[in-house]
Amino acid sequence: MSNIASNLKYLRKKKGVTQQQFADLMEIKRASVGAYEEDRAEPKYELLKKIAEFYELSMDELANDIIDDKWKPTPKSNASNLRVLSVTVDADDRENIELVPVKASAGYLNGYGDPEYVKELPKFSLPMFNQGTYRAFEIKGDSMLPLPSGSLIIAEYVENWHDIKTGQTYVIVSSNDGIVYKRIGQKYKEDKGLKLVSDNKTYEPYWVEAGDIIEVWKAKAFISTELPEPSPEPTLEGLSSMMAQMQKTIKAVVDKN
């Protein structure tokens, strides 16, 4: 059961505005404000988001916390904060793997917390991923070669960003960069965020600020329609180079001893 009704009434009075004034600010009818505060109706997702932004709260705080004179907001930069995550389940109450294709990436930034939006995403299941919360993201571009553009990254939801490990790959959802698949260059820092590294070295590493990060998903597998090409036959030049390197290594070991 949510606390929206009591929270809306408390916050409005604390701000010193009437129901009509608040209705004008939210561009809704005064009667709707009364219905929300008396728990006869609940604001739809877009309005709830607008109200939360007006009071500088998260939708989770507005819906689930008991906001009164004793209430204190949780610091927004804390990477272990619980976040609202919408999921779907199958007929046996097992979580689906929702697919976020490239064409839906922009919409995902606005609808990731909306159950109705997530319900409309394509979904599937895999027997090896039946414990935990997973999502599949289609990647675009060549920054993570040899993984080709169009590959699907199946990733597990990361609740605590301090658990993120350097050198491993993740899908990062952020307000500025959207959805990206990258390798982690340095552990999460409250004051800096995450350092993201591309496997294609023509792309420079960069930082995404903590306040911009929306979700983090740890890559667990990928699906691609492009099958790997056979390894090229070794050339005489390549073999000579390998032999030279081996000789240098052996000499270094001998000299050391």
Side-chain angles (χ1 to χ4, degrees), residues 95-146:
E95 288 190 20
N96 294 308
I97 300 175
E98 296 88 13
L99 168 63
V100 183
V102 168
K103 63 182 180 181
S105 296
Y108 187 80
L109 297 183
N110 295 319
Y112 65 90
D114 182 0
E116 291 301 316
Y117 174 85
V118 174
K119 187 171 69 175
E120 295 303 317
L121 291 172
K123 53 191 70 69
F124 62 97
S125 62
L126 291 171
M128 68 282 288
F129 296 128
N130 56 13
Q131 297 291 327
T133 298
Y134 298 90
R135 199 149 286 174
F137 298 88
E138 183 183 9
I139 62 173
K140 182 181 180 181
D142 62 353
S143 68
M144 290 300 284
L145 290 174

Side-chain angles (χ1 to χ4, degrees), residues 139-183:
I139 62 173
K140 182 181 180 181
D142 62 353
S143 68
M144 290 300 284
L145 290 174
L147 231 58
S149 182
S151 298
L152 301 182
I153 304 298
I154 301 170
E156 184 176 18
Y157 184 64
V158 178
E159 188 172 282
N160 189 337
W161 297 344
H162 290 296
D163 293 336
I164 298 171
K165 294 179 172 57
T166 57
Q168 298 187 4
T169 56
Y170 292 79
V171 173
I172 311 297
V173 183
S174 67
S175 54
N176 284 338
D177 294 330
I179 300 172
V180 297
Y181 172 58
K182 298 291 180 185
R183 199 170 295 278

Side-chain angles (χ1 to χ4, degrees), residues 15-61:
K15 209 166 184 70
V17 297
T18 66
Q19 285 190 345
Q20 185 60 60
Q21 289 170 330
F22 184 73
D24 293 340
L25 288 167
M26 295 295 108
E27 299 178 307
I28 57 177
K29 295 179 179 179
R30 190 205 61 77
S32 297
V33 177
Y36 299 148
E37 291 186 355
E38 294 166 17
D39 205 14
R40 290 183 283 109
E42 283 197 354
K44 293 193 180 296
Y45 175 81
E46 287 301 327
L47 178 57
L48 189 65
K49 182 179 178 182
K50 186 176 181 179
I51 294 171
E53 290 174 349
F54 176 74
Y55 287 121
E56 297 182 346
L57 300 169
S58 70
M59 288 191 289
D60 184 41
E61 289 170 330

Side-chain angles (χ1 to χ4, degrees), residues 183-219:
R183 199 170 295 278
I184 302 301
Q186 290 187 28
K187 286 185 71 69
Y188 175 84
K189 297 181 179 180
E190 299 283 357
D191 59 336
K192 296 190 71 175
L194 283 170
K195 184 180 182 181
L196 306 185
V197 180
S198 300
D199 285 351
N200 184 345
K201 298 308 177 186
T202 61
Y203 290 84
E204 293 291 330
Y206 65 95
W207 286 87
V208 56
E209 294 182 5
D212 291 334
I213 301 172
I214 297 171
E215 292 177 350
V216 179
W217 300 78
K218 178 176 171 53

